Amino acid sequence: MTSYNLLNGTHTSERRGILERVLRREFGFAGIVMTDWVIAAMRSRNSKHGSPNPALVAAAGNDLFMPGGKKDLDAILKGLAGHKVTRKQLNINATRVYHMAKKLVKGL
């Protein structure tokens, strides 16, 4: 799970280097990565740092944006149209979620 923390002014959930290079390649993590729950206070106009952008979160290699809702889906679709995230990356993220769900069901 990625945190709310910022690293050099960028949400850790939007940092591809942390997720793909360090977590997946260096540490060999093969599971899914999800965000911490994005709470209403983060989305407030008064929030100093704002909320993570769901499209940038997906582009960084996060597989689940929590809690996920219509606004988040719309932001991802807008990011797809605006080339902030690729369909290929979305397919990679969705495939990881699918494989995790398959393993969980198999274990029942």
Side-chain angles (χ1 to χ4, degrees):
M1 177 188 304
T2 54
S3 67
Y4 291 132
N5 299 45
L6 298 172
L7 179 60
N8 296 328
T10 302
H11 290 278
T12 59
S13 59
E14 295 176 345
R15 292 197 154 270
R16 187 169 180 82
I18 292 173
L19 299 176
E20 293 297 327
R21 189 180 66 241
V22 176
L23 183 63
R24 296 192 192 280
R25 286 190 226 141
E26 286 184 32
F27 294 167
F29 182 74
I32 63 171
V33 176
M34 60 189 271
T35 65
D36 203 340
W37 279 57
V38 176
I39 56 174
M42 293 177 75
R43 295 181 188 261
S44 165
R45 292 178 194 246
N46 298 330
S47 174
K48 183 177 178 182
H49 300 292
S51 177
N53 180 318
L56 298 178
V57 167
N62 260 285
D63 305 309
L64 293 173
F65 190 89
M66 297 304 290
K70 175 85 168 87
K71 287 181 181 180
D72 302 321
L73 172 61
D74 291 344
I76 290 171
L77 294 174
K78 183 178 177 182
L80 182 61
H83 307 287
K84 292 187 184 291
V85 63
T86 64
R87 182 169 300 279
K88 179 179 178 180
Q89 184 62 53
L90 293 174
N91 285 336
I92 291 167
N93 299 353
T95 299
R96 286 193 286 244
V97 172
Y98 168 77
H99 286 296
M100 178 61 67
K102 192 173 167 182
K103 285 180 185 177
L104 291 171
V105 169
K106 189 176 180 179
L108 294 177

